[in-house]
Amino acid sequence: MPGLTRHKSAWIYLLIGVAIMTVAALLELKMGRSLLCKCGTIRLWVGDTNSAENSQQLFDWYSFTHITHGFILYWVFHLISRGKWSLGLCLVLAIFLEGSWEVLENSPFIIDRYRQTMAQGYLGDTVLNSMSDISCAIAGFALAAWLPAWVTVALAVIMEAALGYLIRDNLTLNVIMLIHPFQGIRHWQLSKP
């Protein structure tokens, strides 16, 4: 019966993950976040980081940073547990951390902090975008669990470099500017070609 037990525990982890995402969505709604874009449409992709629909639709350039979150969370829990925790438990913990970040990211404090950097018109995420961001982190986690480590590292480096080139922002710059905004970085980011 080991296959049946494994199948049962997979469903339990799935239900816990969905519950965590539901709680995150409800907290964001309680904080005043919009469920959907106020524009009245749902789009799969928004490629303009200066658009009022950025962080309002399903995916945007920042979705790639959430995939990288998933890579990082996989490796953090893999290292902490030394491979002793089940993949399902590690995934649930990753969903919890990513969901917690999404709630914090959409708090007035963090929104104002982002506005002090290059995201001057940033309004925060819609709940739809936030749940999509968590889903991207889950996808990143799954890729990190499935791919060889060197491929995951290469993908993270490629995504960071591509985002830096294409939108003058990426996860690294995002973290730096959130912790301590540097005027030189801000000036470079705002002088997009």
Side-chain angles (χ1 to χ4, degrees):
M1 294 286 204
L4 182 60
T5 305
R6 195 173 329 147
H7 181 69
K8 217 175 185 182
S9 63
W11 276 105
I12 292 169
Y13 289 129
L14 175 67
L15 291 174
I16 294 169
V18 169
I20 291 168
M21 290 178 71
T22 302
V23 169
L26 291 172
L27 287 171
E28 288 182 23
L29 287 169
K30 186 149 179 68
M31 291 177 0
R33 306 302 325 140
S34 297
L35 179 62
L36 303 171
C37 179
K38 291 181 180 173
C39 65
T41 60
I42 297 175
R43 297 186 202 293
L44 183 62
W45 172 260
V46 174
D48 181 1
T49 57
N50 294 318
S51 166
E53 292 185 43
N54 193 51
S55 295
Q56 304 298 297
Q57 300 292 350
L58 278 164
F59 302 103
D60 53 45
W61 289 111
Y62 293 99
S63 301
F64 293 102
T65 66
H66 292 278
I67 292 170
T68 305
H69 288 184
F71 292 167
I72 293 167
L73 290 169
Y74 171 80
W75 287 108
V76 164
F77 288 119
H78 184 74
L79 291 172
I80 289 172
S81 74
R82 299 177 189 217
K84 294 179 184 171
W85 297 349
S86 73
L87 189 60
L89 174 61
C90 292
L91 178 58
V92 164
L93 293 170
I95 294 170
F96 175 78
L97 284 181
E98 188 69 14
S100 298
W101 166 246
E102 283 299 318
V103 171
L104 179 63
E105 180 186 31
N106 287 288
S107 68
F109 174 76
I110 298 294
I111 291 172
D112 288 342
R113 189 74 174 165
Y114 276 135
R115 287 181 185 157
Q116 294 170 15
T117 63
M118 90 175 250
Q120 294 168 339
Y122 180 63
L123 303 171
D125 298 352
T126 59
V127 175
L128 174 70
N129 180 264
S130 188
M131 295 304 106
S132 178
D133 288 346
I134 295 170
S135 298
C136 286
I138 293 168
F141 183 98
L143 283 171
W146 181 62
L147 295 171
W150 71 269
V151 174
T152 306
V153 171
L155 284 173
V157 170
I158 290 167
M159 286 191 294
E160 284 290 279
L163 289 173
Y165 177 76
L166 293 168
I167 65 169
R168 294 195 180 199
D169 203 6
N170 56 31
L171 182 58
T172 305
L173 291 171
N174 212 289
V175 170
I176 290 169
M177 295 299 281
L178 190 61
I179 293 170
H180 180 77
F182 288 96
Q183 287 304 317
I185 294 174
R186 184 172 186 268
H187 178 72
W188 174 74
Q189 287 180 318
L190 292 173
S191 64
K192 289 183 181 179

